[in-house]
Amino acid sequence: MGSRFKNRWLVMAAGLAAAAIGLGPRLALADVFDGEKAGQGVVRVISGGSWGTGFIINDQGYVITNWHVVYDRRNDRYVTNLTVILNNTSQAISVERIMASSEMDFAILRAAGSLGPPPVPLATLTPKPGGGVYLVGYPAVAKAAVGSPNVASTSNGVLSRVIPGNWGRGGNFPLIQHTSEANPGNSGGPLFDACGRVIGIHTASPKVGVVEGNRIIPVPRGAGIFFASQITNVVSELKSRGIPFDERSDVCAPALGGQVKDLEAREKAEQARLEAAEAKAEAARSRIETAAAKAAARQAEEQVRSMANQLLIWAPIFALFMGLTFLLALRKPRQVVIRAGREYSQRISQRIHRSTRRSRERTRIAIDRGLVMSGVDPEGHPVRLEIGAHELRTPGGLVIGRSAGLVQCVIDRRTVSGAHARLKVDGGRILIEDLNSTNGTWINGRPLSPRHPSEIRLGDQIAFGKLKLNVSQL
């Protein structure tokens, strides 16, 4: 009991240390937005007799655009002949529709191979009002007015607010209100922050509804007011389908007018802060591992003490047996004495073996009480999993991983796979099984072979990739 409370105290201490040094999201420093660079990953989506805008998210040919760009609303059907044209080129590349959401107005397209230009990064942290935003795309009016080639244009504005709403087709999801000028043709285009990461997907001339409580309030169209779906609406779909993309979760902060010295000073200060945080986290991990080692040492000491007690009980009996054997040797044939001695030695060995086994079994986890896995992740944040007895007996086993839709016990850390490992009960034992995870599962530094369960005991250290957790009784 004392060991368990000590481990809890150490986990709390690690959390307080992290809070004291101000652990939080990393900073991305913005200087001057480079529209030409951002436009490399922006494409024109040709859909029947019209077009919209899209953007490349990886090197496997995946493109994001609006649902209404690929859907023929006049004939109430999807357009089957879809192509994209890369920025500053005239070559049309065929793409297919992977999925589309009319409710959230986005679609995922894919070409047969890599499209070539560098993909754009996606920012999954909710942006703050007041920051600069940039809309890149192919407005139809600009091309019609000057007959311009297929070159993306950029407009800038301010992020006004992030609100819950929809596009008039139901649902409730975050929308970004901004002032970057948009026109037909910009639909499906990326809305960038000042650091060059996509924060939203623009919908031109939207029919917007703001959700307030249980009411949906229509928003009238107004000059200089535009809306975009926050990119997080798409990110969840990409993750569920296993589609790779460049995810950025750091805060975009201005670099104060491009002053290089100030930028370097900010970066050095940020690096020093992160190094201090890592040192604090490492110290907390060391304390927790030391506490676990002491608990294991106490358990080993109890085993040795139990064996010593058994020897104290059986040693006099063995001495008496030897004395009797000597007396019998004087009166019985030698073979009889040897046989009796062998049989008695076997009985003594069996009893000691059973006693030692019972002593070892005391280190097993009491299934009817459940278990705790606790530790500190590589970023210094405390992690604690409490798994009750009823959860351990989940039919088919309790799956641990990062994807909430696939597992019963969620660990939201990058080192953990979507479905990483499974806990299950076998007789009086608790087994852990690696589910062919990306970074592997380890017990006390020993890697587990996928699909080969291994027993875990009190004091063991279980590693899910780089995340190390110590096992204790609940």
Side-chain angles (χ1 to χ4, degrees), residues 427-450:
R429 305 179 302 163
I430 296 180
L431 307 180
I432 188 168
E433 172 188 5
D434 182 76
L435 300 179
N436 201 23
S437 61
T438 301
N439 298 316
T441 306
W442 308 67
I443 298 181
N444 300 325
R446 173 176 60 85
L448 298 183
S449 299

Side-chain angles (χ1 to χ4, degrees), residues 227-292:
F227 291 88
S229 294
Q230 189 176 344
I231 196 63
T232 50
N233 299 330
V234 180
V235 165
S236 59
E237 182 68 26
L238 296 176
K239 288 184 176 180
S240 68
R241 291 174 174 266
I243 299 175
F245 62 96
D246 184 4
E247 181 178 358
R248 305 291 177 86
S249 58
D250 42 2
V251 176
C252 182
L256 301 180
Q259 299 179 9
V260 177
K261 290 184 178 180
D262 181 70
L263 175 61
E264 292 176 350
R266 281 167 166 258
E267 290 178 341
K268 288 180 179 180
E270 176 68 7
Q271 184 63 32
R273 187 183 70 83
L274 292 174
E275 290 176 355
E278 179 62 26
K280 293 279 189 180
E282 184 61 33
R285 282 195 295 269
S286 297
R287 288 194 296 271
I288 292 175
E289 290 174 356
T290 300

